[in-house]
Amino acid sequence: MSTHQYKNNGDAPRIGVYICHCGMNIASKLNVAELAEYGKILPNVAVSRDYKFMCSDPGQEMIQKDIQEFNLNRIVVASCSPLLHEKTFRQAAADGGLNPFYFQMANIREHVSWVTKDFKEATDKAKALVSAAVRRVAQHQALEKKRVPVHSDVVIVGGGIAGIHAALTIANSGRKVYLIERQPTIGGHMAMFDKTFPTLDCAACILTPKMSAVKNHPNITLWSYSDVTKVEGFTGNFKVKIKRKPRYVIEEHCVGCLLCVDACVFKEPKFDDEFNLGMSKRKPIYLPFPQATPLTVLIDPETCLQLKRGKCKQTCAEVCERRAINFEQKEEEIEVDCGAVILSTGFKPFDAKRVPEYGYGHYNNVYSSLEVERMVNASGPSQGEVVLKDGSKPKSVGIIHCVGSRHAKTNKYCSRVCCMYSLKLAHLVKERTGAEIYNFYIDMRTPGKGYEEFFDKLLKEDVNFIRGRVAEVTNWAMTAKEEGKLIIRVEDTLIGSPRRIPVDMVILSVGLEAQADADEVRRMFGISCSKDGWFTERHPKLAPVSTMTDGIFLAGACQGPKDIPDTVAQAGAAAAEALALVDKGFVELEPDTAFIKEELCCGCRTCIGMCPYSAISPNLEKGVAVVNEALCKGCGTCVAACPSGAASQNLFTDEQIFEEIEGVLTYA
């Protein structure tokens, strides 16, 4: 909206002050009526009021009515965080005929009522903040948002179930999608599961049709075995560089017949199969799993004799009639333009070796939950049979919950899915072996649809539940009954007594952690992480899939532990947000950007090196710095660093900040 559409603001400031009760959030902690009365005596204030919910429609209508009735040209609202409602009140001011940037918000909820216990001190502190806002808003200038066009394509990073669902949603709307996956195949962790809780659906049966749909969709370009190496640009106009690692197999030629795998000079598989977590072997040329998408083999350069030593009969290449094998294939770099990016980079399972008292990696028959997921899978290393290392079936199995979760030494947070997948594994292992099953849990957390009913089902299947954190897993036998067994030592808090439970197999229900390179990805895309490494959303309730960088959205477990239904739901939400951005065709840039006063700039270029968004460049002809408003995020780094005071920032000019400080000091 252009300034000429608003009322004339060139007259002396006439400020309206509005104090919000925020229900009892503010009103119960300070005297809002006294605060409103105080507002009336401040300079240039024409009207001051308090209201129960200023963000409500009646509250906003009150502001708009006062703008007309009292000829207001500045607005101050003292309420909650600007993050929550600054946009609301700016729009209310605009609807009343004012330029929306003739508005200032005083945060008297988070900064006062929630943190100040004394009633009088809270009221006094709120008065100081209102005084500062009134002095500041008198210095505000009319600003305009600028529009830039938006590219219609979308890049999705991560090809698990979240990336797959988001890609199909966007592609089905007619938009072009680039799906980038670092592994040789899409599918993520879900492709490794046998069944999903609580309905015990076959994971492959519901996932592989979606994987095939991605591969065959005309609007989706799938680049597996690829990494994002660089991201440039701004909302609606990103440039993403992608490195495609060599498969040494021409993807367009390979049809997945596997004749090359059979013809490999290694007659037997010899190397650890990553998809089966090292529980089976593969050859140097291999297909990750039978339903892999794309259905294209690849060659491991670390184990292939031709790539490693340059000496091999190359029988794989000889047998391939389509001439798909290419030992000369090199790394490839591609750059694409897009309007929005969805990150769905997923999680990594907790490494159980970090809890040595449970014996993972020390005792043969202690497994992680993901290893057992592969074991019970028909395409897994034991073709669906649950067996011990000696090939026999276990007669007793202990499942230990919360390994790497809810513990100060590892991760304090709950991993959300461990209880339910432990119940699922208990059901599947009992079904396949008939073994006695013991679940060791701290709390049973089953909050999803049908989850509590699944827990009841397990209780009826005579699965044992022992409440208490396991102290250790050992092979130290104290009785003849314990000889040759793994002994689980635990305090059973339901009977108030320590117990020793001998079992043949132990399954560790490991928690979820952020990917090892999450910090690197965070830096590349300019978003933030929590202290645990999970990507942070813009707002946990009101913007759960957006990030603080406009145009970058989150889907799935890269944001935090999630089960499959929640992951799919969030992927749909991220797709909708991305579509809303690219379908609009343009994006409005906030005007709180930095600018350079050319008459003061000495061309020292200090600001250029300081800018984290590469938004400043030199104008060699004039010998001054220039800010690209489209790239500038308004962080203020250049303003603080400028030695000559040439850099300034809209909505944060020296005059405005000094007046704000003066307002606080005047009251004090």
Side-chain angles (χ1 to χ4, degrees), residues 190-248:
M190 187 176 172
M192 305 173 81
F193 303 158
D194 181 52
K195 295 184 185 299
T196 58
F197 61 76
T199 52
L200 298 177
D201 290 317
C202 167
C205 299
I206 55 179
L207 178 63
T208 51
K210 280 179 167 283
M211 293 164 63
S212 299
V214 165
K215 178 61 181 171
N216 298 322
H217 203 294
N219 288 337
I220 298 178
T221 298
L222 171 60
W223 285 323
S224 61
Y225 213 40
S226 304
D227 289 316
V228 175
T229 57
K230 192 173 183 180
V231 180
E232 294 178 320
F234 52 92
T235 315
N237 294 275
F238 295 106
K239 289 186 181 295
V240 181
K241 281 188 178 176
I242 301 139
K243 178 180 71 177
R244 300 207 68 196
K245 292 175 280 190
R247 284 177 174 266
Y248 305 104

Side-chain angles (χ1 to χ4, degrees), residues 298-495:
L298 71 156
I299 299 175
D300 177 10
E302 299 298 319
T303 57
C304 172
L305 293 179
Q306 178 62 31
L307 293 171
K308 195 174 178 183
R309 302 177 186 173
K311 294 180 180 178
C312 180
K313 295 179 182 176
Q314 301 185 20
T315 49
C316 56
E318 290 178 4
V319 77
C320 182
E321 296 180 351
R322 301 177 65 86
R323 303 298 178 201
I325 309 295
N326 179 7
F327 291 109
E328 303 301 321
Q329 200 172 58
K330 302 294 181 188
E331 194 173 277
E332 190 180 355
E333 190 169 75
I334 303 168
E335 183 176 279
V336 297
D337 296 324
C338 66
V341 176
I342 296 176
L343 294 177
S344 55
T345 50
F347 67 94
K348 72 179 175 72
F350 176 80
D351 181 2
K353 288 180 180 175
R354 288 165 56 191
V355 189
E357 58 267 32
Y358 289 167
Y360 181 76
H362 182 67
Y363 299 121
N364 279 337
N365 291 315
V366 177
Y367 293 90
S368 74
S369 47
L370 197 55
E371 288 173 334
V372 179
E373 290 278 5
R374 292 307 303 148
M375 203 183 289
V376 298
N377 194 300
S379 62
S382 57
Q383 288 76 50
E385 295 293 328
V386 179
V387 293
L388 302 172
K389 281 283 163 54
D390 62 5
S392 64
K393 286 189 177 182
K395 294 179 181 175
S396 54
V397 177
I399 302 176
I400 302 176
H401 295 212
C402 297
V403 178
S405 302
R406 304 182 64 199
H407 199 290
K409 290 183 179 178
T410 54
N411 298 305
K412 290 184 179 178
Y413 57 83
C414 173
S415 290
R416 290 191 62 186
V417 295
C418 310
C419 283
M420 284 307 298
Y421 79 59
S422 297
L423 296 176
K424 179 191 71 174
L425 290 178
H427 170 82
L428 294 176
V429 171
K430 192 171 185 64
E431 183 183 71
R432 307 285 167 88
T433 65
E436 193 78 13
I437 309 292
Y438 299 90
N439 268 272
F440 300 88
Y441 68 101
I442 305 173
D443 291 317
M444 192 58 68
R445 298 185 172 184
T446 55
K449 185 178 181 181
Y451 290 8
E452 191 66 19
E453 292 88 335
F454 190 75
F455 180 31
D456 289 339
K457 171 184 168 68
L458 266 289
L459 291 173
K460 293 172 184 172
E461 290 180 357
D462 294 330
V463 171
N464 301 291
F465 289 90
I466 299 172
R467 194 183 74 180
R469 185 182 289 279
V470 170
E472 67 171 347
V473 175
T474 178
N475 63 352
W476 181 40
M478 295 182 66
T479 65
K481 185 181 176 184
E482 294 179 353
E483 290 289 345
K485 300 274 189 176
L486 293 167
I487 315 301
I488 298 176
R489 291 184 58 243
V490 60
E491 180 187 7
D492 189 335
T493 58
L494 291 177
I495 62 174

Side-chain angles (χ1 to χ4, degrees), residues 39-225:
K40 293 178 181 175
I41 65 172
L42 293 172
N44 301 314
V45 173
V47 61
S48 178
R49 303 179 189 274
D50 62 282
Y51 189 68
K52 187 166 286 187
F53 290 105
M54 199 57 72
C55 59
S56 64
D57 285 348
Q60 294 180 56
E61 288 168 5
M62 177 195 297
I63 294 173
Q64 293 161 19
K65 185 179 176 184
D66 283 355
I67 290 173
Q68 303 302 324
E69 186 174 338
F70 293 92
N71 196 29
L72 302 179
N73 54 21
R74 304 284 194 284
I75 299 295
V76 169
V77 174
S79 58
C80 54
S81 164
L83 182 66
L84 197 62
H85 276 310
E86 186 176 61
K87 189 176 180 181
T88 303
F89 293 122
R90 278 182 176 169
Q91 187 59 49
D95 291 343
L98 284 184
N99 183 290
F101 298 96
Y102 281 123
F103 166 79
Q104 179 64 21
M105 201 165 181
N107 185 351
I108 61 170
R109 192 177 71 174
E110 283 85 342
H111 290 178
V112 181
S113 66
W114 281 3
V115 294
T116 310
K117 292 182 179 178
D118 184 84
F119 194 82
K120 183 177 183 310
E121 287 183 357
T123 306
D124 289 344
K125 188 175 176 182
K127 287 179 180 177
L129 294 182
V130 171
S131 170
V134 167
R135 298 279 298 244
R136 187 192 210 281
V137 79
Q139 300 296 322
H140 278 203
Q141 302 294 321
L143 300 172
E144 292 181 46
K145 291 183 176 180
K146 294 186 178 178
R147 289 183 176 183
V148 294
V150 170
H151 199 284
S152 62
D153 296 348
V154 178
V155 163
I156 299 176
V157 185
I161 182 59
I164 289 171
H165 186 76
L168 288 172
T169 303
I170 295 171
N172 287 337
S173 76
R175 295 298 180 185
K176 177 76 177 174
V177 177
Y178 298 97
L179 180 58
I180 302 157
E181 167 59 47
R182 72 173 70 183
Q183 298 297 330
T185 171
I186 57 173
H189 286 97
M190 187 176 172
M192 305 173 81
F193 303 158
D194 181 52
K195 295 184 185 299
T196 58
F197 61 76
T199 52
L200 298 177
D201 290 317
C202 167
C205 299
I206 55 179
L207 178 63
T208 51
K210 280 179 167 283
M211 293 164 63
S212 299
V214 165
K215 178 61 181 171
N216 298 322
H217 203 294
N219 288 337
I220 298 178
T221 298
L222 171 60
W223 285 323
S224 61
Y225 213 40

Side-chain angles (χ1 to χ4, degrees), residues 561-579:
K562 286 183 183 63
D563 59 14
I564 293 172
D566 284 355
T567 295
V568 171
Q570 195 192 22
E577 293 281 0
L579 281 172

